């Protein structure tokens, strides 16, 4: 689903990753983290796709809500497992959405 | 591939899309546009993944380079075909990357 975000400005966290071959617990944790993220203050939406690489973009009201989500205990534990088990490499980019436009048939 | 972008600030264009069932010419055009984009001034990298939705994030030096790429004749023609044939819906977000960090095993 394409996220129905409000008028800019708002923030995007672009998380691009390459997985290891270790699948144990990954899908469950990914689902759990999306569910938990949606419950956070300032969460606006999330979009995700994967084939050779995975791209997950989550949208947030402001930097403060992103910081709080990063500090969330369950999320921190999940990230530690991500580094040890599930990700070969990743890059996280924090970006301020200045403009957006869409199209729908 | 995860793009090796320079130190922030730089810009990201987050393009999220849902395809139609029309595949004719799509892959060839998508490849051609990526190739053309890489040749533009200010282009820094591109990351792409698709399953239910497609997410393509291209990275640019500044807003001026994004504007020029949008005005590129071949790119404009491709976007028109995208709207008429290949995309059910899409959303484009222009965002300024303020911070990034990565991890590699």
């Amino acid at each position: 689903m394409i996220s129905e975000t409000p008028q800019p400005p708002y923030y995007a966290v672009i998380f691009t990753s390459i997985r290891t071959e270790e699948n144990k617990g990954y899908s469950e944790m990914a689902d759990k983290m999306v569910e938990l993220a949606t419950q956070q203050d300032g969460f606006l939406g999330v979009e995700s796709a994967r084939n050779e690489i995975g791209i997950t973009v989550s949208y947030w009201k402001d930097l403060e809500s992103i910081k709080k989500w990063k500090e969330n205990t369950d999320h921190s534990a999940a990230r530690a497992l991500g580094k040890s088990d599930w990700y070969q490499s990743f890059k996280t980019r924090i970006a301020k959405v200045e403009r957006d436009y869409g199209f729908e048939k």
Side-chain angles (χ1 to χ4, degrees), chain A:
Chain A
M1 282 277 287
I2 298 178
S3 293
E4 301 209 0
T5 38
Q7 287 287 99
Y10 54 90
Y11 275 82
V13 178
I14 306 163
F15 176 75
T16 311
S17 63
I18 296 174
R19 293 266 283 102
T20 59
E21 288 175 11
E22 175 60 67
N23 289 317
K24 198 180 168 188
Y26 173 73
S27 295
E28 295 77 6
M29 184 63 92
D31 291 348
K32 193 179 157 189
M33 284 304 115
V34 167
E35 195 190 329
L36 193 59
T38 62
Q39 296 165 14
Q40 306 306 305
D41 281 346
F43 175 84
L44 301 176
V46 63
E47 298 167 344
S48 200
R50 175 176 298 280
N51 14 65
E52 292 82 12
I53 62 169
I55 305 176
T56 296
V57 189
S58 59
Y59 300 102
W60 301 86
K61 187 183 168 209
D62 51 27
L63 288 173
E64 182 60 24
S65 53
I66 293 170
K67 184 167 177 276
K68 280 193 181 157
W69 171 232
K70 192 177 181 184
E71 290 168 356
N72 177 285
T73 310
D74 292 342
H75 184 207
S76 297
R79 287 206 310 282
L81 276 170
K83 283 186 180 181
S84 65
D85 292 4
W86 299 314
Y87 294 117
Q88 182 61 39
S89 59
F90 67 71
K91 186 136 193 163
T92 302
R93 296 177 173 97
I94 318 288
K96 185 180 192 175
V97 178
E98 299 180 349
R99 197 157 58 85
D100 64 15
Y101 53 90
F103 163 80
E104 198 159 352
K105 273 199 172 107

